[in-house]
């Protein structure tokens, strides 16, 4: 038996030993890594919404700068899953604008989400959403395994920062499923010379090793599987000489998905539901706690200049974002003034903050003088109309922005606006300094214009570059509907009690004339539960409550109730009737209502009227006394509130009562509007 001896040269033997040792060392290192896994916190961008992430609970790292208003948040404490995860963390106070780690936990959807301003972030209101989440400090709980790679529900995974780990959502695999090929096919006439078929294994849906590249950027409406398999093809192409050079490695810096020239990816059937990657953005109905109809009068005069005009537009856009515009909340229109005012868009043109901001961006400067008074007059006459979207029940607010000072007078135009129920706010930017005041046409113009002179309605801004600091103070003021005093006009803020003489001397026909007079007066007022309310008492020797303040809340119902009042007939006890009205009507008046008593009589009272009249005056009831025919003038003056010449009226015949309607209404409004504005 022969023996064959193989001999090797020393260098070859040494090489084999080195390879053997290196392999053993590599296996040991691999074993160590498997035994000691390290949790890597995934990084996300500010625009990542919670609803895009499948994981029910996860820890992530947020970057700096997520306080920016372009990252939308819906809710307070509990947030809609349509919210930016990181912006919600800033709003909740878990993070500041410098970023950091947070723990996110999904919870059930809510029937409503309340917007609020917190930590520099304005969250929006939302009626309902299918899923919510809460945010806490990024300290992992013991015994809980958090994913080091987030699972996204859509191919539109947000662009990741360097080192971000994500993976495409995969449906669970069916046991026994085998890999199927993905074929890159030649397109005749377009394939570069030397290109050939490249067949790659289509991975099983249960493959554990599948992760996307660091910068997934899907193009168009591609399916999840297309992006995933194309990425595998791109990654594999580095070892395949037969793939077209148009293919780019997905893990290369700045690489984006690009279909290679002359190569067609054949994937077979793609489910229809996977072709759509657009999520339905919830449309806010607006913040119901800030239901106001708002007009901004912006300064488009030549003196503003292009740069400051852009700052003014950015201020409007920030206001639109902070207000949460919607049909159930605030609505906003814009009027630009120069020589003459021009409506850019009215209250009903844009019904959400996003559309409103886009419209603001398109506004171009008009130039000319700074005729503020003319602009206020135009807004009073035209802007707050039903045709322009005025809702009637919402307070009317006009915010006037002025660069320096107006070039016309504003006092008279503003008075008419206030008397129309418009709450005027003034923002004066870079107002006149001492040496410039000689050029101001109307000194102290802002205080002459605003609804009240207590500082609530005026904002003075020292520089255009600090205008942004006024966004939140202004939003809080225009939304404080309880303090919008100019919304309360002479026609919508009273409880009016009619005290009607039904004595025998009046007669049936004249009594119907008196009721027509009561109806004519009532028609002049805005009637509702929250506006003016009407009640009525009829008296003879006795008294009867015909209807109270809370019984009817619409004008048609009030007018029908007046028609149904039946003539009583009897004596004339006016003093007792005043006491009865104080007890049965005005004792139930709302604290914030002006109390008006309108008494109609045709004769002298059988009882004393002095003490009851004084009681009415002491209780703050403004009394108008209207006498007909045989009524005693001295009694009318005692009953009426001082000065009697403004509150006592006399007509010689019942048929002339209608002539008193305009004078009574005028006196009611003059008295209301003469109240101090402080």
């Amino acid at each position: 038996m022969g023996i064959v001896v193989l001999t090797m040269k020393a260098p070859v033997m040494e090489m084999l030993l080195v390879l053997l040792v290196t392999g053993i060392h590599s296996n040991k290192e691999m074993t160590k890594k498997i035994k000691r896994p390290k949790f890597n916190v995934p990084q996300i961008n500010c625009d990542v919404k919670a609803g895009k992430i499948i994981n029910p609970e996860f820890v992530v790292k947020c970057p700096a700068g997520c306080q920016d208003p372009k990252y939308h948040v819906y809710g307070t404490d509990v947030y809609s899953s349509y919210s930016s995860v990181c912006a919600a963390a800033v709003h909740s106070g878990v993070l500041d604008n410098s970023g950091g780690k947070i723990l996110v936990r999904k919870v059930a959807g809510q029937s409503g989400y309340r917007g609020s301003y917190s930590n520099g972030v304005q969250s929006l209101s939302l009626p309902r959403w299918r899923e919510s989440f809460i945010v806490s400090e990024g300290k992992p709980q013991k015994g809980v395994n958090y994913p080091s790679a987030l699972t996204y529900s859509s191919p539109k995974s947000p662009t990741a920062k360097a080192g971000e780990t994500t993976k495409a959502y995969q449906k669970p695999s069916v046991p026994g499923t085998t890999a199927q090929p993905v074929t890159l096919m030649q397109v005749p006439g377009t394939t570069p010379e030397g290109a050939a078929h490249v067949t790659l294994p289509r991975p099983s849906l249960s493959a554990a090793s599948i992760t996307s590249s660091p910068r997934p950027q899907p193009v168009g409406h591609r399916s999840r599987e297309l992006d995933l398999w194309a990425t595998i093809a791109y990654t594999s192409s580095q070892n395949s000489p037969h793939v077209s050079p148009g293919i780019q490695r997905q893990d290369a810096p700045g690489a984006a998905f690009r279909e290679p020239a002359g190569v067609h990816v054949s994937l077979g059937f793609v489910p229809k539901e996977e072709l759509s990657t657009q999520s339905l953005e919830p449309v806010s109905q607006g913040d119901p706690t800030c239901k106001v109809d708002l007009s901004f009068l912006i300064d488009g005069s030549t003196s503003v200049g292009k740069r400051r005009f852009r700052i003014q537009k950015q201020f409007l856009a920030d206001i639109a974002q902070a207000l949460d515009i919607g049909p159930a909340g605030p609505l906003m229109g814009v009027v630009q003034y120069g020589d003459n005012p021009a409506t850019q868009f009215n209250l009903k043109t844009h019904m959400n903050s996003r559309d409103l901001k886009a419209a603001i961006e398109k506004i171009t400067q008009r130039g000319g003088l700074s005729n503020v008074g003319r602009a206020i007059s135009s807004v009073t006459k035209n802007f707050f109309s039903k045709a322009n979207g005025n809702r009637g029940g919402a307070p009317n607010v006009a915010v006037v922005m002025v660069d320096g000072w107006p070039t016309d007078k504003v006092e008279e135009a503003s008075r008419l606006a206030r008397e129309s129920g418009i709450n005027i706010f003034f923002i004066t930017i870079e107002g006149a300094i001492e040496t410039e005041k000689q050029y101001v046409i109307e000194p102290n113009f802002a205080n002459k214009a605003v609804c009240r002179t207590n500082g609530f309605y005026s904002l003075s801004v020292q520089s255009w570059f600090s205008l942004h600091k006024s966004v939140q103070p202004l939003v809080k003021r225009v939304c404080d509907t309880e303090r919008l005093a100019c919304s309360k006009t002479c026609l919508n803020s009273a409880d009016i009690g009619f005290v009607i003489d039904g004595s025998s001397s009046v007669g049936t026909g004249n009594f119907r004339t008196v009721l027509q007079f009561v109806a004519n007066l009532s028609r002049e007022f805005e009637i509702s539960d929250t506006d003016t309310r009407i009640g009525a008492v009829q008296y003879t020797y006795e008294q009867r409550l015909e209807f109270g303040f809370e019984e009817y809340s619409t004008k048609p119902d009030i007018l029908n109730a007046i028609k149904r009042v039946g003539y009583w007939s009897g004596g004339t006890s006016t003093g007792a009737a005043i006491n009865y009205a104080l007890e049965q009507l005005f004792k139930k008046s709302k604290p914030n209502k002006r109390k008006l008593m309108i008494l109609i009589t045709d004769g002298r009272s059988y009882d004393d009227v002095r003490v009851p009249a004084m009681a009415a005056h002491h209780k703050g009831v403004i009394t108008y006394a209207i006498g007909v025919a045989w009524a005693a003038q001295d009694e009318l003056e005692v009953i009426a509130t001082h000065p009697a010449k403004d509150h006592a009226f006399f007509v010689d015949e019942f048929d002339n009562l209608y002539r008193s309607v305009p004078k009574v209404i005028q006196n009611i409004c003059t008295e209301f509007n003469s109240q101090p504005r402080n």
Side-chain angles (χ1 to χ4, degrees), residues 173 177 305 392 434 457 468 480 512 610 668:
S173 63
T177 302
E434 198 62 37
Y457 293 88
H468 65 279
D480 190 354
R512 305 318 301 176
R610 291 181 178 275
I668 288 173

Side-chain angles (χ1 to χ4, degrees), residues 11 18 52 61 71 82 96 123 136 159 288 323 358 366 380 416 435 556 579 656:
V18 169
K52 289 291 186 180
K61 186 175 181 181
Y71 306 120
Y82 198 76
D96 57 24
S123 70
S136 56
T159 303
L323 277 175
R366 293 176 62 82
T380 303
L416 294 173
T435 57
N579 282 332
N656 291 329

Side-chain angles (χ1 to χ4, degrees), residues 163-186:
E164 175 180 345
T165 310
T166 62
K167 62 183 180 182
Y169 173 62
Q170 300 290 327
K171 294 181 181 179
S173 63
V174 179
T177 302
T178 57
Q180 297 181 14
V182 179
T183 305
L184 300 180
M185 302 175 63
Q186 296 180 22

Side-chain angles (χ1 to χ4, degrees), residues 217-234:
Q217 297 181 6
V219 176
H221 293 277
R222 299 179 183 276
S223 71
R224 292 188 283 267
E225 295 164 357
L226 173 57
D227 281 332
L228 179 63
W229 299 335
T231 299
I232 295 171
Y234 286 179

Side-chain angles (χ1 to χ4, degrees), residues 518-532:
V518 171
N520 289 342
L521 279 173
S522 298
R523 281 192 182 93
E524 298 295 321
F525 294 90
E526 299 170 23
I527 296 172
S528 75
D529 285 334
T530 56
D531 294 314
T532 292

